[in-house]
Amino acid sequence: MKLKTKINIVSISLTMVILISSFTGIYFLYEHFAITTEAEHLQTRALELTTAISALEQTEGIDMVFRAHIPTDGAIIVQDANDKTLIRLQTTAEKIDVATQKNELYTVKSFGNIPYIAISTPMIWPDGQIVEAKFIQPLPTITENLNRLFIILLLMTLLALVPIFLASQLLVRLIVKPVTKLTTTMERNIQQSSFEQLAVNERSKDEIMQMTSTYNTLMAQLEDLHDKQQQFIGNASHELKTPLTVIESYAKLLKRRGTENVEVTDEALHAIIQESANMKHLIEQMLSLAKSAETTKITVSNFELSSFLQTIAANVQTAYHREIHLKAPNVVVMTDESMLKQLLFIFIDNARKYSDGFIELHASVDEYLHIEIRDNGIGIPKQDLPHIFNRFYRVNKDRNRKTGGVGIGLSIAQELALRLHATIHVESELGQGTIIQITLPLHGGNPYES
């Protein structure tokens, strides 16, 4: 069942239940008050008759007194203590009688579809005995009024269906139309592989506006991820195509000319080995980038900063025979040690590749931990600085090809920095070197949060 149908059924049914309950209450309240009013009038008549009878000293002419107080189209029945009827007067041809209860104010009984109300009251008979006088009166006016009221309430209920239905349609329009529009847009996006967004009514602050804004944010993120995926596939294909082409060319050369020419064979094998190594490095970096993009759990631990940086500097000096100038305070910090080590290795490795002198590694502490990596290498052009963290972006392809770079390392560094809640600032000038400044919280928090 569609949401539109459900809303119509629920809203109309609920409103009709409320209307019918209200009108039913009105009907029975009117009936109760109308009958109670007639009973009070009948009690007044009985009181007047009781006063008149108590003034008599004999029963002669007593019928005339009763006839003066008999209800219209009704009856008066007087019985003694032994239920013997002393007087019975009525203005109807049909004999009527209603049994009354002593504990009830009145009793209602129908004769021929006409309700009759009866009350009983004690009075002193002229001879001194206590008798019971019963007054019976028809209620045709109340019956007619109740019938009219029923018809009026029924017509009001039927007429109310029109505004109820219109209100239900308005409710459907307010709720279902945005949902339908959202569904249609989503289906169109699926069919056309697009990322169409919805117009947002900024003046409206309701849940529909929030849903629309959330959907637009989701579409924007999906579009960004799609663009990055397409860029990644294109760049990865291009980067893999070059070494594969070289390997294929030299393999065909060896097949065509054999291994008799030692120089050609050595050149081919060297190129194949070199390009295979490049491919291996590229694939490893691609896997590392994919792994860093996953939502992995951060393992925060306390460790001593100075010894941590000394270990990194010693490893670089041992592996690449490059001098590292280290300056760091002897403080304890709290963050993911493994991720921070990987982040620093990426920047130190870049400094090693694109400079020949020593590398400076400095750290300082205030409200945050600041780590600076400085080299005196070839530097980065200013126009390239905004793009260096893009995947597969390379400042100089020939230079990066010689150093084995494929433009993924800094993308990995950016992903790691995001997970560590760290910020990265890069300063560089051609021929003057590069400065990498990393800022992260001392206690594993978010520097963006106050």
Side-chain angles (χ1 to χ4, degrees), residues 174 201 203-211:
L174 291 175
N201 184 6
R203 293 177 298 178
S204 175
K205 301 299 181 182
D206 56 14
E207 288 79 2
I208 298 297
M209 187 276 289
Q210 294 177 2
M211 179 185 71

Side-chain angles (χ1 to χ4, degrees), residues 274-299:
Q274 183 64 39
E275 294 302 326
S276 298
N278 290 340
M279 285 180 59
K280 180 182 178 182
H281 180 64
L282 172 62
I283 292 172
E284 287 176 350
Q285 286 200 309
M286 288 170 62
L287 291 174
S288 179
L289 180 62
K291 183 178 180 181
S292 67
E294 294 176 356
T295 306
T296 54
K297 184 178 180 181
I298 302 296
T299 304

Side-chain angles (χ1 to χ4, degrees), residues 13 17 67 91 368:
S13 300
V17 167
R67 290 185 185 279
T91 56
Y368 301 100

Side-chain angles (χ1 to χ4, degrees), residues 53-101:
I53 295 299
S54 63
L56 297 177
E57 296 180 356
Q58 57 185 0
T59 59
E60 184 179 354
I62 198 171
D63 288 354
M64 297 299 296
V65 178
F66 276 94
R67 290 185 185 279
H69 294 84
I70 189 171
T72 305
D73 297 329
I76 297 178
I77 303 172
V78 180
Q79 294 177 328
D80 60 14
N82 298 320
D83 293 334
K84 178 183 178 181
T85 301
L86 301 178
I87 293 179
R88 181 185 184 91
L89 299 174
Q90 65 180 61
T91 56
T92 59
E94 182 182 359
K95 184 179 179 181
I96 57 175
D97 193 3
V98 177
T100 59
Q101 300 293 331

Side-chain angles (χ1 to χ4, degrees), residues 15 23 37 125 152 167 204-205 215 228 264 291 293 328-329 415:
T15 310
F23 290 166
T37 301
W125 204 245
I152 292 172
S204 175
K205 301 299 181 182
Y215 169 77
K228 288 182 178 180
V264 173
K291 183 178 180 181
E415 293 286 346

